[in-house]
Amino acid sequence: MTPVQRAVADAHRREWATVLAATVRVTRDLDLAEECVQDAYVAALDAWTRGGVPSRPGAWLTTAARHNALDALRRARTLRSKLHLLVEPEESGAEVPGGPVGEDGRAVPGDRLRLAFLCCHPALAIEARVALTLRLVCGLTVPDIARAFLVSETTMAARITRAKKKIAAARVPFRMPGPEELPERLDGVLTVIHLLFTTGHTAPAGPALTKDDIAGRALDLARMLHGLMPEQREVRGLLALLLANHARRATRTAADGRLLPLEEQDRSAWDREAITEAHELVLTALPGGAPGRFALQAAIASLHATAPTYAGTDWEQILVLYDALLEAWPSPVVALNRAVAVAMVRGPAAALAEVEALEGDGRLARHHYLPAIKADLLRRQGRNAEAATAYERALALAGNDAERAFLAGRLAETAPP
Amino acid sequence: MSERDERTERAMPRYAILIYEKETPGGVDDIPPEVMEANLSAGEKIAAMGARVVHEQALEPSSATRTIRKGGLVTDGPFIESREVIAGFFVVEAADLDQAVAIGRLLPIMDGAVEVRPLLAV
């Protein structure tokens, strides 16, 4: 990679959302804006090779992309697709086409937020929100996104196009939600970023590089959001949660690809810097009224990450946090994870009763963690035959090879000879 | 107004707001007064939001419905049998989908739901 190629790649990763959001203001059309930004990046490679990398690459790209957009609009109005976007006039005064955009030729920071809220709008199906966020906010190519989600490029392209059409047809606005909508809408954005991260974190299959990249992009998004909304405690919570989990990325699987439970992971190989950052964020995300679900999940992840050993983890405190989390977010998956903490504090028999109470919940019917956790609780009580049955059930539901290998190993230990 | 503004300035989009409710034996007479009140005052609140009601209709009980099927067969009752039926609908002009949903939220729900659906722009 030449220094110029690297500069363009860096600008792509760091500035894409800013450049696109500023261009959308001119085109009021997502497709045309995307095309203009793509062309600006192509032009940058050539221009920067000849004239050197500009001191503010983002500003250079924004100017170029908006220039392309104005040209296109002047050349032919027929270029406009039907994906007309509802763009509100900028708060910072009237929009002058080609004129200044916020300070020093960059988009106003709020534009990137608007873009994120647009992509994560509840009117879109969840998989469309995820795909659109990667395409429009992160600037990932359609083939890359398709690879990460194990679907064909055609399928992914159609998914993204459908989402854009829906935005245009239903008139989903390119604007920040009002104060009364904000908590719910922000939670929607955080959920999409978290989902992206877990997709990368425990991807069903596919090349490791793509998975790591997706998790890294989710972390970038969380950082971007934190930079733009530093006062939001749940944003701090999400960033902390991602950091605490990301810190353990090197130890989640053994050399042979087998999944390692938390208990067996080499804690000396965890990323201390990320853990410290997560811990400090948690301290600022918890106080000030009832903490939200991301702050509480981050607090739990941070306690795990800072514990000297698995047995030496502050399980009592984790259980207290789970109780609060269950109140903030009454979900059967949370109740199931809480059962693991119950087992550590009150023993496997008490936890088993709680897991069995959840078995009737239809929302967990396809969830392989339930039989897997049940099996482990039975195994720890020496009830091997029953444990084996539960491991078989978990194996039938698990889709990820590393998890299947782990469960098969446990099954071999517990199955009657 | 610049040339570009004229091109991008459009009439406000329209949305259908469909009200689904469980049918009561006594029809309109069974509707609690506070629900009636909320329905009646929705118009003012909608206007205050800067949106406009284009149409507003309440429907007779679904028992009065006739359904024409493929092949011309006409039957009594609604096409889709369900506990909740469309009891009324609005057509509104709103700034965007979020505002249309906010309008939908103004309408009281007893047992059913309120559906907000963008109308095809012609």
Side-chain angles (χ1 to χ4, degrees), chain A residues 25-26 28 77 80 84 86 95 97 121 123 169-173 175 181 184-185, chain B residues 2-5 7-13 15 95-99 105 118-119:
Chain A
R25 287 209 165 277
V26 178
R28 294 163 181 254
R77 282 179 200 167
R80 304 179 68 84
H84 193 81
L86 207 62
E95 160 79 7
H121 196 279
R171 307 296 291 269
V172 172
R175 67 164 173 84
E181 304 166 87
E184 198 182 326
R185 293 288 311 280
Chain B
S2 76
E3 182 195 4
R4 201 173 55 89
D5 282 345
R7 236 179 327 107
T8 53
E9 204 61 54
R10 295 207 181 173
M12 293 222 290
Y15 299 85
D96 55 45
L97 180 65
D98 292 345
Q99 193 183 46
R105 280 177 190 268
L119 295 187

Side-chain angles (χ1 to χ4, degrees), chain A residues 6 11-12 39 63 82 104 170 176 189 198 204 211 226 247 256 276 304 331 349 359 369 385 412 414:
Chain A
R6 183 170 305 285
H12 189 278
D39 290 350
T63 306
K82 291 270 180 279
D104 70 9
M176 278 298 286
V189 175
T198 48
K211 291 189 307 191
H226 180 244
D256 60 3
T276 305
H304 280 302
S331 120
E359 280 185 303
Y369 289 118
T414 51

Side-chain angles (χ1 to χ4, degrees), chain A residues 348-395:
Chain A
L352 185 63
E354 306 220 356
V355 172
E356 282 172 340
L358 289 168
E359 280 185 303
D361 194 313
R363 288 171 295 177
L364 290 175
R366 308 292 311 151
H367 205 3
H368 70 275
Y369 289 118
L370 191 146
I373 289 172
K374 183 182 174 179
D376 188 58
L377 295 171
L378 287 163
R379 184 183 63 90
R380 282 155 63 181
Q381 295 175 74
R383 294 160 65 177
N384 278 357
E386 292 162 273
T389 309
Y391 277 126
E392 276 167 8
R393 169 106 187 101
L395 259 175

Side-chain angles (χ1 to χ4, degrees), chain A residues 146-150 198-212 214 399-402:
Chain A
R147 245 199 316 279
F149 289 92
L150 309 173
T198 48
T199 302
H201 207 51
T202 52
L209 181 73
T210 315
K211 291 189 307 191
D212 278 352
I214 295 286
N400 160 325
D401 284 349

